[in-house]
Amino acid sequence: MLDLLTLRLKYPMIYTVYGFAIFFFVFWCGIWIVHLIALFYGKYRLHRKVKPLSTDEPYPGVSILKPLMGTDPHLVSNLETFFTMTYPMYEILFCVEDEKDPAVDVVNALIAKYPKTPSRVFLGGSTVGVNPKINNINKAYEASSYDLILISDSGIRMKEDTLLDMVTHLTETTGIVHQMPFTSDRNGFAAILEKVYFGTAQSRMYLGADFLGVNCHTGMSTLMRKPVLEERGGLKMFGCYLAEDFFIAKAFLDKGWKTAISSQPALQNSGICDVNSFQARLTRWAKLRVAMLPIVIFFEPLSECMVIGACAAWAASLLFRWEPLVFYLIHVLVWFLCDWMLLSIVQNGSLPFKRFDFIIGWLFRECSGPYLFLLALCHPEIKWRNRVFKLTWGGIAQEVKPRIKC
């Protein structure tokens, strides 16, 4: 015992190095547990057959809030899927901040085409905070007719039974049901890159977090109970955050409500699909995560395949005298195979591209991920459409040179 104490005092750096090695190896093992959870939970949870609600109770009404700004080649087809859903009782409330926005004509044409679907257009928005999305939809939220609110981004595409699927997952103890982000099938390398990211790295963390009960709420397609929001003062109370979805879910969890993902992933189908725009989204999301949870500055890079693989290879060579290069190559290969299986589960069918395309997209995503995170740390200001924001710790946002002044 005395010899160990003497060694520790004499060689403190040795204990520090071994401590880091043990930490990296344990963290690496934990990441593989998340891989297994995502694979098995994804197989169990996703793409389950939708069961109709009990005939003894009427279907609850749903108010769908659709924030819009501008048009793209897919906007008409995306919005039309909301008019053709088989759910028996819902209304669509379109929200457009500028009355001269070309999206207004698109919406009016669809309303005329589907007169039997209750729908309205809200123009002008309201200034209740710095969050443009909350400002845009707050009027419609306050005028909504039903106790269930579905906030759905303009680029989301629905299946006929998607809303029914979400409502069936809204149990007595569940306050929020949200769709796991994914993408529609599209052509081009950017579309491959998006599908690879959302079907692997994003799905792995999303499924793992939902299984463990961790707040992973993404607000691109989310169904929630309006009375619970009203207890907090309504949707406008979250206008001070850019990541309003995270803080809305936190408010529900603090009240004892559960959140859950539906079995159908959200099908993003924006007409804007290029690598630069996609990487800008990833960088913006990273900035939001850092501001909300500063601990991710250290832990998020370690969740990347190439980074944790290198750290674990060094740790294994130090702790077990394993060959680091062989360890690293096996790590990357097994990670790659797990991602292929997870993407196939999320896709629920054959992929719309060849395996070689997946290899190129996967390598590009995995190698660029750490760089984008570093870029987010170096440039913390957030650009969102034509506005610029800065965040304080805790996620509260301030607009730089506000476009709308109170």
Side-chain angles (χ1 to χ4, degrees), residues 317-337:
S317 67
L318 183 64
L319 297 174
F320 310 113
R321 300 294 186 267
W322 293 346
E323 176 58 40
L325 180 59
V326 174
F327 182 98
Y328 184 76
L329 293 176
I330 294 175
H331 159 86
V332 173
L333 176 61
V334 177
W335 192 297
F336 169 83
L337 294 174

Side-chain angles (χ1 to χ4, degrees), residues 38 167 276 337:
V167 172
N276 289 335
L337 294 174

Side-chain angles (χ1 to χ4, degrees), residues 67-73 75-76 79 95-98 100-104 106-107 136 154 272 385:
L68 303 176
M69 176 180 285
T71 61
D72 63 57
L75 182 63
V76 174
L79 295 182
C95 312
V96 186
E97 188 176 20
D98 186 353
K100 297 181 180 179
D101 194 304
V104 176
V106 173
V107 170
N136 195 6
S154 61
I272 301 174
R385 295 186 184 269

